Amino acid sequence: MDLNELSKRPPFLHSDRFGNLTSSWGASSRLLKFLDSCLQDGQVTLETGAGISTILFAMKGCRHTAIVPDQAQVTRIRSWCEEKGISLEHVNFIIEKSEDALPKLEFSTPIDVYLIDGAHGFPMPFIDWYYGIRNMRVGGLLFVDDVQIWTGLVLRRFLAQEPNWEIVHSESIEFFAARLNAQPVASEWNQQPFVLHNSLTQSSTSFIRKAVGYGLVGIHAGSSVVNLARQRDWAELRRRSKAVRQSGSLG
Ligand SMILES: C[S@@+](CC[C@H](N)C(=O)[O-])C[C@H]1O[C@@H](n2cnc3c(N)ncnc32)[C@H](O)[C@@H]1O
């Protein structure tokens, strides 16, 4: 079986909110096609969530780990693969929520390809990203599905501006793929271009937010002066105005 056949007749692995089995929650054919072009036999791979993508990882001969809390879904994947003669010998299912499993998970061989497609609510994709990429090799590929959901979109916008990541493929309202070009480092907010740009501070790289940042400092300064004047704390007021003259900040 190849990807064409899998996409033509996708298995019904997911259950919708009425409990009916469906194939429409699987990764899109565009994502599967791009993933298929990147995967190689023997690669170490990881995904959060499971489904049609898991079958593709198995068909490509990857040493794959899928983290998914739904045992019934895994049973459906197993029986479909058995019926079609697809080996799951190198697939390791971890039946747990990814936010619980990933912080404990360590890989002896670094991950080549990582697909985030588990829970999409805040902050799950960020947790999956943060803990999962600790095990990725430099040069490895990260896929994030469902960029039409705000969490996935924020992750794409954030990584697009991070110097150690490079977006290598993006389907605007579907998914993106990014390459890890250097070891990830935990930076403070003002060293992260995306966070800095979107923050209402004097150091924002957005002209409008920087202006608002200065405005907020002005409002804060004004209300401090009013409070000190109300309390008749003239000594403190003098100290602060001296600090403003010297450093431009209220101190
Ligand atoms: C959109 S589906 C994944 C589709 C899959 N990539 C495919 O191609 O069929 C979302 C998956 O995330 C799983 N999931 C839900 N909550 C999760 C969590 N907290 N951690 C990991 N997986 C979760 C669901 O059971 C489901 O398998």
Side-chain angles (χ1 to χ4, degrees), residues 14 25-27 49-53 67-70 73 97-99 117-119:
H14 302 283
W25 284 18
I52 300 175
S53 48
I67 308 173
V68 59
D70 187 346
Q73 200 168 57
K97 290 180 175 176
S98 57
E99 62 269 31
D117 193 15

Side-chain angles (χ1 to χ4, degrees), residues 35-46 57-58 60-65 90 107 109-114 137 139-141 143:
L35 190 58
D36 183 59
S37 71
C38 299
L39 294 177
Q40 286 166 27
D41 188 62
Q43 278 181 325
V44 177
T45 54
L46 170 68
F57 282 108
K60 298 293 283 190
C62 300
R63 288 179 282 158
H64 186 59
T65 301
H90 300 297
F107 282 72
T109 312
I111 296 162
D112 297 298
V113 178
Y114 176 24
R137 73 169 169 83
L141 280 182
F143 285 73

Side-chain angles (χ1 to χ4, degrees), residues 27-36 169 171 174-175:
S28 71
S29 51
R30 266 191 291 265
L31 189 159
L32 293 172
K33 204 168 165 195
F34 190 71
L35 190 58
D36 183 59
H169 191 94
E171 297 281 344
E174 265 184 38
F175 75 93

Side-chain angles (χ1 to χ4, degrees), residues 27-227:
S28 71
S29 51
R30 266 191 291 265
L31 189 159
L32 293 172
K33 204 168 165 195
F34 190 71
L35 190 58
D36 183 59
S37 71
C38 299
L39 294 177
Q40 286 166 27
D41 188 62
Q43 278 181 325
V44 177
T45 54
L46 170 68
E47 75 177 314
T48 56
I52 300 175
S53 48
T54 316
I55 297 173
L56 178 63
F57 282 108
M59 287 186 338
K60 298 293 283 190
C62 300
R63 288 179 282 158
H64 186 59
T65 301
I67 308 173
V68 59
D70 187 346
Q71 174 65 70
Q73 200 168 57
V74 173
T75 305
R76 286 193 287 274
I77 295 172
R78 283 195 185 285
S79 43
W80 193 86
C81 285
E82 199 180 331
E83 196 185 301
K84 303 288 175 189
I86 295 165
S87 169
L88 289 176
E89 192 189 343
H90 300 297
V91 177
N92 171 30
F93 288 102
I94 298 178
I95 314 294
E96 208 174 347
K97 290 180 175 176
S98 57
E99 62 269 31
D100 297 331
L102 279 170
K104 303 176 280 193
L105 203 60
E106 279 187 19
F107 282 72
S108 49
T109 312
I111 296 162
D112 297 298
V113 178
Y114 176 24
L115 167 65
I116 296 180
D117 193 15
H120 295 84
F122 184 92
M124 304 319 167
F126 308 109
I127 293 177
D128 288 358
W129 171 79
Y130 180 82
Y131 287 105
I133 63 161
R134 297 182 311 171
N135 290 297
M136 268 180 84
R137 73 169 169 83
V138 170
L141 280 182
L142 169 76
F143 285 73
V144 178
D145 197 15
D146 294 317
V147 170
Q148 77 281 12
I149 299 174
W150 181 84
T151 44
L153 182 64
V154 168
L155 194 47
R156 186 183 69 194
R157 288 183 175 164
F158 172 73
L159 293 182
Q161 294 191 36
E162 282 296 285
N164 52 347
W165 288 93
E166 180 190 348
I167 305 286
V168 292
H169 191 94
S170 185
E171 297 281 344
S172 53
I173 51 162
E174 265 184 38
F175 75 93
F176 70 90
R179 184 183 297 112
L180 178 65
N181 284 334
Q183 278 303 341
V185 279
S187 307
E188 245 304 11
W189 68 274
N190 54 1
Q191 288 154 11
Q192 296 177 328
F194 176 77
V195 180
L196 192 57
H197 188 78
N198 287 288
S199 299
L200 297 172
T201 73
Q202 296 155 283
S203 48
S204 176
T205 47
S206 146
F207 176 76
I208 290 177
R209 293 190 189 92
K210 186 194 272 284
V212 174
Y214 273 108
L216 289 175
V217 169
I219 290 167
H220 175 69
S223 68
S224 295
V225 168
V226 169
N227 278 341

